[in-house]
Amino acid sequence: MLRRTLTRLATTLVTLFGVAVIVFVVIRVVPGDPIAMMLPPMATAEDIGRLRALYGLDESIAEQFLIWLGGVLRGDFGTSITMRQPVLGLVLGRLPATLELSVMALVIAVIWGGALALIGTRFRDGRAEAAIDVGNGMALSVPDFLWGLVLILLFGVLWPVFHISGRVSPSLELPFTTDFYLIESVLRLRFDLWADIVSHMFMPAVALALPLAAIIAQLLKQSLKETMHLDYVTLSRTKGYGETHVITREALPNAVLPTLTLVGVQFTFLIGGTVIIERLFSYEGLGNMAIDAVINRDLPLIQGIVILFALIFTGVNLVVDLLYTVLNPRLRHA
């Protein structure tokens, strides 16, 4: 177990280094000069040169990378070209909003997809299972941003029950000391704020959750149907237990392991999907900031956001891999 953990950690570090190299090189070879975008048209060549030197863009790509990497190892990701603030502070300030949205979408997807899988297994080979399969197919065939547009039209325009933009209403007083608004509103027992925050998060979270819920429902239902034919499940039936008890107490604990791995992998894609969804709902998260950084060619900010996303992706995959090993005795004792 220790050897497996150390191997995965080493692989994670190599992956992060590779991502850093690729992103650093790619964003510097694409057309466009971020310094020229910052200065007015009447700026002289000397003005451009001084600003390029200030941000270290007058060096070769290899020298720029080594300087940047040395700063990252010290916890300094540079200064945003457009916002003139430290990148690390900007990124960490927006990260809680994206994490809360992603976790809420994951919870919705797991509950929704798990319930559909259990219902489809309980009433397998019938109309209920066929209807669930059709619904899953529809959820998978429509991208999350299109679900977002549909939700805005239905519950933001035709029947306006949820907010369609922002993270919290500007008229509310925010007594928060952290950027985890949803969590802190509960801890402070400010359920008025909590309801407003959820109202802003609900539609983007559902738009993100629908495709993932369909994937979870399909995989878990298939795993459950395969498990229902095993000997220990048949033995449970002979003891007189009902079908619902057999599914939830006997089949589900073993059938859920493949789904656990899928949820971990898909969660990383779900976080990546927040980029478009946050823009669509004007949600003040990391994805929305990433689009602004790309539009403005803010190289240090782009690098910081991508490295943070890569760190989250590799970290989640590492945790899921180790958790799967702990929960699966065959791998734990291999």
Side-chain angles (χ1 to χ4, degrees), residues 189-259:
L189 302 180
R190 290 293 306 274
F191 296 108
D192 57 331
L193 290 176
W194 179 86
D196 184 81
I197 295 168
V198 170
S199 178
H200 283 82
M201 292 176 59
F202 185 75
M203 285 201 296
V206 170
L208 287 169
L210 280 172
L212 179 57
I215 295 174
I216 292 173
Q218 287 293 87
L219 179 61
L220 183 57
K221 182 167 67 69
Q222 185 62 35
S223 298
L224 283 170
K225 291 179 70 174
E226 294 174 357
T227 307
M228 294 298 290
H229 299 289
L230 298 180
D231 293 339
Y232 72 93
V233 176
T234 304
L235 179 62
S236 180
R237 288 197 188 96
T238 61
K239 293 180 179 180
Y241 292 117
E243 192 69 8
T244 302
H245 179 278
V246 171
I247 294 173
T248 57
R249 299 293 182 87
E250 304 294 337
L252 183 60
N254 287 319
V256 78
L257 286 178
T259 308

Side-chain angles (χ1 to χ4, degrees), residues 113 115-121 123 126-138 214 217-218 221:
L116 290 178
L118 293 174
I119 294 172
T121 305
F123 302 99
R127 294 181 178 179
E129 183 184 6
I132 289 173
D133 289 340
V134 171
N136 289 336
M138 292 177 58
Q218 287 293 87
K221 182 167 67 69

Side-chain angles (χ1 to χ4, degrees), residues 124-195:
R124 54 192 177 278
D125 301 325
R127 294 181 178 179
E129 183 184 6
I132 289 173
D133 289 340
V134 171
N136 289 336
M138 292 177 58
L140 284 172
S141 62
V142 178
D144 49 17
F145 72 88
L146 190 53
W147 281 120
L149 292 174
V150 172
L151 292 171
I152 289 175
L153 177 62
L154 293 178
F155 302 110
V157 179
L158 298 179
W159 187 30
V161 293
F162 296 107
H163 294 282
I164 62 175
S165 65
R167 189 183 178 192
V168 64
S169 297
S171 59
L172 294 177
E173 181 182 355
L174 305 179
F176 300 130
T177 57
T178 70
D179 293 306
F180 289 95
Y181 292 175
L182 189 65
I183 298 174
E184 192 170 346
S185 62
V186 175
L187 295 177
R188 290 177 177 269
L189 302 180
R190 290 293 306 274
F191 296 108
D192 57 331
L193 290 176
W194 179 86

